[in-house]
Structure formats: structure tokens, C-alpha cells
Amino acid sequence: MMMIASKAIDDYKKNYENDIGELIRKNFEKKKEEIINCKKVEFLIKTARFIDDDHRLNMNHIRLFLSTPIWELEQDYEWVHKYITRVRFCNEFMQFMEYYKSRYEQTVASRKIQFNEICREYLQISRFNEVIDDYQLDREVMINSREEFAKAVKIVGDELKMINDVLSRLLSYDMMSDKIKNRIKKSYGIEVCPYCNRQFISWWEESGTDRITSDLDHVLPKRLFPLFSLNLYNLIPVCLVCNRYIKGNRYMSIWDPFKEGFDDMTRFVINKYKNAEAYIGLNIDFEIKLQPNKDLALQQADQINKTIWFFKFNELYNNHKEHVRTLIRKKYIYTPEVVQELNQLFGTQHISQKEIELLLYGVIKEDDDWNKEVLGKLTYDILWGDI
């Protein structure tokens, strides 16, 4: 997962604020009575302050929430932090459970996974302490009883559902036209899916309309976080495979590519060579694995492992064994001694070391733009990583 430079959309932010702000204003005029009569309209007035006491839109505040990174909003507004935490508390458990089951199966295959073991792990996460305290929930009771855990989630979830109901009436992704969506996609200038680095993102014009081979993914799903359904920093152009077939309606707290990519915190390795021929690239009897670097803090490594699992990166990348086999073979053939001989041979032709690398491998070792190439990180790690 690559970091997305926020500066890529800086030039578009002001236009986005104006375009979407106008859509919100028109939507509010149309649905004003419906919104004002919602049970939790006070959330929009007293907490979010999107509407003032006279039931007029606070457009300056709304624009702020359209074009400010989510992590900055969470730092600046306690209610935003509480909102995010409550959504996560109510909606992460199923994916969390599947993730930890997969870990247990890999480490202790015969171990029987008990609900309370996973629940304890889930509730020990410090970010949920305030939810438990605010709602006066009993952590130990929840851990030891599925019924009590479900009851606690329902208590928090019922209030959250009413808040999201009124938010989704004011802020709806459905009001955004395809034309605006395409503007967002083009403003990033992303050529390769920032999630998987496996698919090109291309665009062309047809009959005056932009056609782009990407979806706009909500990092925080709009069905769970309507507060951010129109936030520019929650919209990322990604390939259709990642968005529709892998991520879909699933949700888990994963790495946020707007805050920091983890491409330089992970490495691809060749795991479980089954024979000597595979070791020198004569067959594909091996496994490809993406893993965190060993020097990372445990929490950081765990977050990366969850993201790798969530996006099925290891399963997907094992479809590229033939590409890796070719790289292994090249690495075996073009030893440092051979490369040095080629360097001397081509030296009289004024061909640089980088050009030799490009000739042999199709990529350059010191090229900072490898993430603009499909399978760029995989290629780099296999050729020059410690595998």
C-alpha cells in the first residue's frame, strides 16, 4: 500500500469545496423539514455545528469537513474522535475475529478458538476504553458472554444509527455526479492502484466524457461513516479488484494511505522453496509473502499484518509466480561479476549503470518512481531485497 501525497489534490480542494458545498446547500433546501424532524438533529446543531440554532447551514464549517484530512479532524475535534471510535467499536468485531482465527490457524492448528479469547483481545485495545466508560459497560461481563457483548454493541449502535441517519440525509455521496467523481480521480494523477500495485489506472476521453478504469474507494466506508462520505481525503482512486472484489462491504481498521504508506515498511520474500530448481528460477515451486520489516514496533507491525490480510495481498501476489520466477532466474544469471563485465563491455558505448539495469531487469534500482509501475515493489524486493 503506497502513500498518497495529499499535495496531489491541493489544487483541486477549493473547487471541490465549492462544488460539493453547493450540492449540500441544494440538498438541504430540498430536505430541510425532513432533516430538522430527525430524532438526532441536535447532533447536527449542537455537536457537529453544521446547522445553526436558526436552522441555517454553517457552510464554512461544512467546507472545512469536506477538505480537511480525517486524522486532523479527529485530532482537532473530540466529538469526531468519539464518533469514529463508536463506529469502530460496533462494526469491527467480525473481521477482527476472522483475522485472529487465521493467525491461530497458522500458528497452532489444533487450537480451539473461543469467543472470549478473541473478545478479550478486541476489548483490550485502548481506543475502546472511552466507549466502555461513557456507556458504563462491564468489560469482563462482555468478554465472557456473547449475549452481553451483543447487548453492549446494540446500546452503542442504536444511538449511532440515529446519528448516522441524520448525517446521511445531509451528506450523501449519491448527490455527487460522475463528472465530479472523474475530476477527483484525475486530480490525483495516480497511474497504478495505490492499494495493490497490481493494476494500471488509465483514462481517456470518449464523446467529451472522461472514462477512467478506477473506482473511488471510501477508506472509511460511507455506509458506516456518513460523516466522511464526501470528505475529499476519504476518496481514493483504486482498481476495481481491490474495491469491488476484495474490500467490498467489509470493514476493518486498516492502514490509511493518506497518513502514511507502508511500502517502505514491508518487503516481499520468497518463502518455502520446495526444491533446488525453484531456488534458481527454473520452476514456480515456492511461495511469495509480503511481511512487515523486523524492526517495526509491534503495534505498527500488527496494523500492517491486518491490512495485508484484509486485502488478501499474499493470496493475490501468489498469482504472479511466473513473473517472480523470471526475476529469480535473472538474479541467478546476472551475478555481480557478470554485471561488472557487462559494465566494462558497455562502458565504451557510454551506457550507464542505470541503463544496464534497465536493459537487464526492466527497472532501475535507485528509481524513486517504481510505485508507478505495476508490480514495482515486488520486482524491486525480489531483485535487490534480502530474500
Side-chain angles (χ1 to χ4, degrees), residues 349-386:
Q349 305 298 320
H350 305 291
I351 295 178
S352 67
Q353 176 67 26
K354 290 183 178 180
E355 288 171 320
I356 292 175
E357 291 172 359
L358 194 61
L359 177 67
L360 297 180
Y361 309 122
V363 292
I364 298 173
K365 182 177 181 180
E366 296 180 1
D367 191 349
D368 293 333
D369 290 333
W370 60 259
N371 56 5
K372 292 183 179 179
E373 297 290 335
V374 166
L375 303 180
K377 177 170 175 56
L378 174 67
T379 300
Y380 180 92
D381 285 355
I382 297 303
L383 288 175
W384 293 295
D386 181 20

Short mmCIF file of all heavy atoms in Angstrom, two decimals, residues 349-386:
data_model
loop_
_atom_site.label_atom_id
_atom_site.label_comp_id
_atom_site.label_asym_id
_atom_site.label_seq_id
_atom_site.Cartn_x
_atom_site.Cartn_y
_atom_site.Cartn_z
N GLN A 349 30.54 2.23 -24.91
CA GLN A 349 29.37 2.74 -25.63
C GLN A 349 28.66 3.83 -24.82
O GLN A 349 27.59 4.29 -25.22
CB GLN A 349 28.39 1.59 -25.91
CG GLN A 349 28.99 0.42 -26.64
CD GLN A 349 29.50 0.81 -28.02
OE1 GLN A 349 28.86 1.59 -28.72
NE2 GLN A 349 30.67 0.28 -28.38
N HIS A 350 29.27 4.20 -23.71
CA HIS A 350 28.74 5.25 -22.84
C HIS A 350 27.33 4.90 -22.32
O HIS A 350 26.44 5.74 -22.27
CB HIS A 350 28.71 6.60 -23.57
CG HIS A 350 30.03 7.01 -24.12
ND1 HIS A 350 31.09 7.37 -23.31
CD2 HIS A 350 30.48 7.07 -25.41
CE1 HIS A 350 32.14 7.66 -24.08
NE2 HIS A 350 31.79 7.47 -25.34
N ILE A 351 27.14 3.65 -21.97
CA ILE A 351 25.88 3.21 -21.37
C ILE A 351 26.07 3.18 -19.85
O ILE A 351 27.01 2.54 -19.35
CB ILE A 351 25.47 1.81 -21.88
CG1 ILE A 351 25.17 1.89 -23.39
CG2 ILE A 351 24.25 1.29 -21.14
CD1 ILE A 351 24.79 0.58 -24.00
N SER A 352 25.21 3.85 -19.14
CA SER A 352 25.37 3.98 -17.69
C SER A 352 24.92 2.72 -16.96
O SER A 352 24.28 1.83 -17.53
CB SER A 352 24.54 5.17 -17.18
OG SER A 352 23.15 4.89 -17.33
N GLN A 353 25.26 2.67 -15.65
CA GLN A 353 24.85 1.56 -14.80
C GLN A 353 23.32 1.45 -14.77
O GLN A 353 22.77 0.35 -14.83
CB GLN A 353 25.39 1.76 -13.39
CG GLN A 353 24.94 0.71 -12.37
CD GLN A 353 25.52 -0.67 -12.68
OE1 GLN A 353 26.57 -0.77 -13.30
NE2 GLN A 353 24.82 -1.71 -12.24
N LYS A 354 22.65 2.59 -14.71
CA LYS A 354 21.19 2.57 -14.67
C LYS A 354 20.61 2.01 -15.97
O LYS A 354 19.62 1.28 -15.96
CB LYS A 354 20.65 3.98 -14.42
CG LYS A 354 20.90 4.49 -13.01
CD LYS A 354 20.26 5.85 -12.80
CE LYS A 354 20.48 6.34 -11.37
NZ LYS A 354 19.87 7.67 -11.13
N GLU A 355 21.24 2.35 -17.07
CA GLU A 355 20.76 1.84 -18.35
C GLU A 355 20.99 0.34 -18.47
O GLU A 355 20.20 -0.38 -19.09
CB GLU A 355 21.46 2.59 -19.49
CG GLU A 355 20.97 4.03 -19.64
CD GLU A 355 21.80 4.82 -20.63
OE1 GLU A 355 23.04 4.65 -20.64
OE2 GLU A 355 21.20 5.61 -21.38
N ILE A 356 22.07 -0.14 -17.87
CA ILE A 356 22.32 -1.58 -17.86
C ILE A 356 21.26 -2.29 -17.03
O ILE A 356 20.73 -3.34 -17.43
CB ILE A 356 23.73 -1.88 -17.31
CG1 ILE A 356 24.79 -1.38 -18.29
CG2 ILE A 356 23.90 -3.37 -17.05
CD1 ILE A 356 26.21 -1.52 -17.79
N GLU A 357 20.94 -1.72 -15.86
CA GLU A 357 19.88 -2.29 -15.03
C GLU A 357 18.55 -2.33 -15.78
O GLU A 357 17.81 -3.31 -15.71
CB GLU A 357 19.73 -1.48 -13.73
CG GLU A 357 20.90 -1.62 -12.78
CD GLU A 357 20.81 -0.66 -11.60
OE1 GLU A 357 19.83 0.11 -11.55
OE2 GLU A 357 21.71 -0.68 -10.74
N LEU A 358 18.27 -1.26 -16.50
CA LEU A 358 17.03 -1.19 -17.26
C LEU A 358 17.03 -2.24 -18.37
O LEU A 358 16.00 -2.87 -18.65
CB LEU A 358 16.88 0.21 -17.86
CG LEU A 358 15.51 0.58 -18.42
CD1 LEU A 358 14.44 0.51 -17.33
CD2 LEU A 358 15.54 1.97 -19.04
N LEU A 359 18.19 -2.46 -18.99
CA LEU A 359 18.32 -3.45 -20.05
C LEU A 359 18.13 -4.87 -19.52
O LEU A 359 17.44 -5.69 -20.12
CB LEU A 359 19.71 -3.32 -20.70
CG LEU A 359 20.05 -4.33 -21.81
CD1 LEU A 359 19.15 -4.11 -23.01
CD2 LEU A 359 21.52 -4.20 -22.20
N LEU A 360 18.72 -5.15 -18.36
CA LEU A 360 18.67 -6.50 -17.80
C LEU A 360 17.34 -6.81 -17.13
O LEU A 360 16.78 -7.91 -17.28
CB LEU A 360 19.79 -6.69 -16.78
CG LEU A 360 21.23 -6.59 -17.30
CD1 LEU A 360 22.21 -6.81 -16.15
CD2 LEU A 360 21.47 -7.61 -18.41
N TYR A 361 16.82 -5.85 -16.36
CA TYR A 361 15.69 -6.13 -15.49
C TYR A 361 14.40 -5.39 -15.86
O TYR A 361 13.31 -5.74 -15.40
CB TYR A 361 16.03 -5.76 -14.04
CG TYR A 361 17.32 -6.35 -13.54
CD1 TYR A 361 18.34 -5.53 -13.07
CD2 TYR A 361 17.54 -7.72 -13.54
CE1 TYR A 361 19.53 -6.04 -12.60
CE2 TYR A 361 18.74 -8.26 -13.08
CZ TYR A 361 19.72 -7.42 -12.61
OH TYR A 361 20.91 -7.93 -12.16
N GLY A 362 14.54 -4.33 -16.64
CA GLY A 362 13.36 -3.54 -16.97
C GLY A 362 13.04 -2.48 -15.94
O GLY A 362 12.08 -1.72 -16.08
N VAL A 363 13.82 -2.41 -14.85
CA VAL A 363 13.65 -1.42 -13.79
C VAL A 363 15.03 -0.94 -13.35
O VAL A 363 16.05 -1.58 -13.62
CB VAL A 363 12.90 -2.00 -12.57
CG1 VAL A 363 11.46 -2.29 -12.91
CG2 VAL A 363 13.59 -3.25 -12.04
N ILE A 364 15.05 0.21 -12.66
CA ILE A 364 16.29 0.78 -12.16
C ILE A 364 16.28 0.73 -10.64
O ILE A 364 15.28 1.09 -10.00
CB ILE A 364 16.44 2.25 -12.63
CG1 ILE A 364 16.51 2.29 -14.16
CG2 ILE A 364 17.69 2.88 -12.03
CD1 ILE A 364 16.49 3.70 -14.73
N LYS A 365 17.37 0.30 -10.06
CA LYS A 365 17.43 0.09 -8.61
C LYS A 365 17.14 1.36 -7.82
O LYS A 365 16.43 1.33 -6.82
CB LYS A 365 18.81 -0.45 -8.24
CG LYS A 365 18.97 -0.74 -6.74
CD LYS A 365 20.33 -1.34 -6.44
CE LYS A 365 20.47 -1.66 -4.96
NZ LYS A 365 21.78 -2.23 -4.63
N GLU A 366 17.67 2.49 -8.24
CA GLU A 366 17.54 3.74 -7.47
C GLU A 366 16.39 4.61 -7.97
O GLU A 366 16.31 5.79 -7.63
CB GLU A 366 18.85 4.52 -7.52
CG GLU A 366 20.01 3.77 -6.85
CD GLU A 366 21.30 4.55 -6.91
OE1 GLU A 366 21.29 5.67 -7.45
OE2 GLU A 366 22.32 4.05 -6.40
N ASP A 367 15.49 4.05 -8.74
CA ASP A 367 14.36 4.80 -9.27
C ASP A 367 13.31 4.98 -8.19
O ASP A 367 12.76 4.02 -7.68
CB ASP A 367 13.77 4.08 -10.48
CG ASP A 367 12.77 4.95 -11.24
OD1 ASP A 367 12.41 6.01 -10.71
OD2 ASP A 367 12.38 4.56 -12.35
N ASP A 368 13.03 6.23 -7.83
CA ASP A 368 12.04 6.50 -6.78
C ASP A 368 10.61 6.34 -7.27
O ASP A 368 9.67 6.39 -6.46
CB ASP A 368 12.23 7.93 -6.23
CG ASP A 368 13.55 8.09 -5.49
OD1 ASP A 368 14.03 7.08 -4.95
OD2 ASP A 368 14.07 9.22 -5.46
N ASP A 369 10.42 6.17 -8.55
CA ASP A 369 9.08 6.08 -9.12
C ASP A 369 8.67 4.64 -9.41
O ASP A 369 7.81 4.39 -10.25
CB ASP A 369 9.00 6.91 -10.42
CG ASP A 369 9.07 8.40 -10.15
OD1 ASP A 369 8.67 8.81 -9.04
OD2 ASP A 369 9.52 9.15 -11.03
N TRP A 370 9.29 3.67 -8.75
CA TRP A 370 8.92 2.28 -9.02
C TRP A 370 7.46 2.01 -8.71
O TRP A 370 6.83 1.12 -9.25
CB TRP A 370 9.81 1.32 -8.23
CG TRP A 370 9.76 1.48 -6.74
CD1 TRP A 370 10.67 2.12 -5.97
CD2 TRP A 370 8.76 1.02 -5.84
NE1 TRP A 370 10.31 2.10 -4.65
CE2 TRP A 370 9.14 1.41 -4.54
CE3 TRP A 370 7.59 0.29 -5.99
CZ2 TRP A 370 8.37 1.12 -3.41
CZ3 TRP A 370 6.83 0.00 -4.87
CH2 TRP A 370 7.23 0.41 -3.60
N ASN A 371 6.87 2.84 -7.79
CA ASN A 371 5.47 2.62 -7.44
C ASN A 371 4.53 3.06 -8.56
O ASN A 371 3.32 2.90 -8.45
CB ASN A 371 5.11 3.34 -6.13
CG ASN A 371 5.41 4.82 -6.17
OD1 ASN A 371 5.81 5.36 -7.20
ND2 ASN A 371 5.22 5.50 -5.05
N LYS A 372 5.07 3.63 -9.63
CA LYS A 372 4.24 3.95 -10.80
C LYS A 372 4.21 2.79 -11.78
O LYS A 372 3.57 2.87 -12.83
CB LYS A 372 4.78 5.21 -11.49
CG LYS A 372 4.60 6.48 -10.67
CD LYS A 372 5.08 7.70 -11.44
CE LYS A 372 4.87 8.97 -10.63
NZ LYS A 372 5.34 10.17 -11.36
N GLU A 373 4.93 1.71 -11.46
CA GLU A 373 4.96 0.53 -12.31
C GLU A 373 4.16 -0.60 -11.66
O GLU A 373 4.25 -0.82 -10.45
CB GLU A 373 6.41 0.07 -12.51
CG GLU A 373 7.29 1.07 -13.24
CD GLU A 373 6.91 1.21 -14.70
OE1 GLU A 373 6.33 0.26 -15.26
OE2 GLU A 373 7.19 2.27 -15.27
N VAL A 374 3.40 -1.30 -12.46
CA VAL A 374 2.68 -2.47 -11.96
C VAL A 374 3.70 -3.49 -11.43
O VAL A 374 4.71 -3.76 -12.08
CB VAL A 374 1.80 -3.09 -13.07
CG1 VAL A 374 1.34 -4.47 -12.68
CG2 VAL A 374 0.61 -2.19 -13.35
N LEU A 375 3.44 -4.01 -10.25
CA LEU A 375 4.32 -4.98 -9.57
C LEU A 375 5.70 -4.37 -9.28
O LEU A 375 6.68 -5.09 -9.12
CB LEU A 375 4.47 -6.27 -10.38
CG LEU A 375 3.19 -7.02 -10.74
CD1 LEU A 375 3.51 -8.27 -11.55
CD2 LEU A 375 2.39 -7.39 -9.51
N GLY A 376 5.74 -3.04 -9.17
CA GLY A 376 7.02 -2.37 -8.97
C GLY A 376 7.72 -2.76 -7.68
O GLY A 376 8.92 -3.04 -7.68
N LYS A 377 6.99 -2.80 -6.58
CA LYS A 377 7.62 -3.15 -5.30
C LYS A 377 8.05 -4.61 -5.29
O LYS A 377 9.15 -4.94 -4.82
CB LYS A 377 6.68 -2.88 -4.13
CG LYS A 377 7.30 -3.31 -2.80
CD LYS A 377 6.55 -2.86 -1.60
CE LYS A 377 7.15 -3.44 -0.32
NZ LYS A 377 8.60 -3.12 -0.15
N LEU A 378 7.20 -5.49 -5.79
CA LEU A 378 7.55 -6.91 -5.85
C LEU A 378 8.83 -7.09 -6.65
O LEU A 378 9.75 -7.80 -6.22
CB LEU A 378 6.41 -7.69 -6.50
CG LEU A 378 6.66 -9.17 -6.77
CD1 LEU A 378 6.79 -9.95 -5.46
CD2 LEU A 378 5.55 -9.77 -7.63
N THR A 379 8.92 -6.45 -7.79
CA THR A 379 10.10 -6.56 -8.65
C THR A 379 11.34 -6.05 -7.93
O THR A 379 12.39 -6.71 -7.94
CB THR A 379 9.89 -5.76 -9.95
OG1 THR A 379 8.75 -6.28 -10.63
CG2 THR A 379 11.10 -5.84 -10.85
N TYR A 380 11.23 -4.89 -7.29
CA TYR A 380 12.36 -4.30 -6.58
C TYR A 380 12.84 -5.23 -5.46
O TYR A 380 14.04 -5.50 -5.32
CB TYR A 380 11.98 -2.94 -6.01
CG TYR A 380 13.10 -2.25 -5.26
CD1 TYR A 380 13.96 -1.38 -5.92
CD2 TYR A 380 13.31 -2.50 -3.91
CE1 TYR A 380 15.00 -0.76 -5.25
CE2 TYR A 380 14.36 -1.89 -3.23
CZ TYR A 380 15.19 -1.02 -3.90
OH TYR A 380 16.22 -0.42 -3.23
N ASP A 381 11.90 -5.72 -4.65
CA ASP A 381 12.29 -6.55 -3.50
C ASP A 381 12.92 -7.87 -3.92
O ASP A 381 13.85 -8.34 -3.27
CB ASP A 381 11.05 -6.83 -2.62
CG ASP A 381 10.65 -5.62 -1.81
OD1 ASP A 381 11.35 -4.60 -1.85
OD2 ASP A 381 9.60 -5.68 -1.13
N ILE A 382 12.43 -8.48 -4.99
CA ILE A 382 12.99 -9.74 -5.43
C ILE A 382 14.40 -9.55 -5.99
O ILE A 382 15.32 -10.33 -5.72
CB ILE A 382 12.09 -10.40 -6.50
CG1 ILE A 382 10.72 -10.73 -5.92
CG2 ILE A 382 12.74 -11.67 -7.05
CD1 ILE A 382 10.73 -11.61 -4.72
N LEU A 383 14.60 -8.48 -6.76
CA LEU A 383 15.90 -8.25 -7.38
C LEU A 383 16.94 -7.75 -6.39
O LEU A 383 18.10 -8.18 -6.44
CB LEU A 383 15.76 -7.24 -8.53
CG LEU A 383 15.07 -7.73 -9.80
CD1 LEU A 383 14.90 -6.58 -10.77
CD2 LEU A 383 15.87 -8.86 -10.44
N TRP A 384 16.55 -6.85 -5.50
CA TRP A 384 17.55 -6.20 -4.65
C TRP A 384 17.29 -6.34 -3.15
O TRP A 384 18.03 -5.83 -2.34
CB TRP A 384 17.63 -4.71 -5.02
CG TRP A 384 18.18 -4.51 -6.40
CD1 TRP A 384 19.45 -4.81 -6.83
CD2 TRP A 384 17.50 -4.00 -7.54
NE1 TRP A 384 19.58 -4.51 -8.16
CE2 TRP A 384 18.41 -4.01 -8.63
CE3 TRP A 384 16.20 -3.54 -7.76
CZ2 TRP A 384 18.05 -3.57 -9.91
CZ3 TRP A 384 15.86 -3.09 -9.02
CH2 TRP A 384 16.77 -3.10 -10.09
N GLY A 385 16.20 -7.00 -2.81
CA GLY A 385 15.92 -7.21 -1.40
C GLY A 385 16.67 -8.40 -0.84
O GLY A 385 17.31 -9.17 -1.58
N ASP A 386 16.62 -8.55 0.45
CA ASP A 386 17.31 -9.67 1.11
C ASP A 386 16.34 -10.84 1.21
O ASP A 386 15.59 -10.98 2.16
CB ASP A 386 17.75 -9.23 2.51
CG ASP A 386 18.50 -10.34 3.25
OD1 ASP A 386 19.01 -11.25 2.56
OD2 ASP A 386 18.57 -10.27 4.49
#
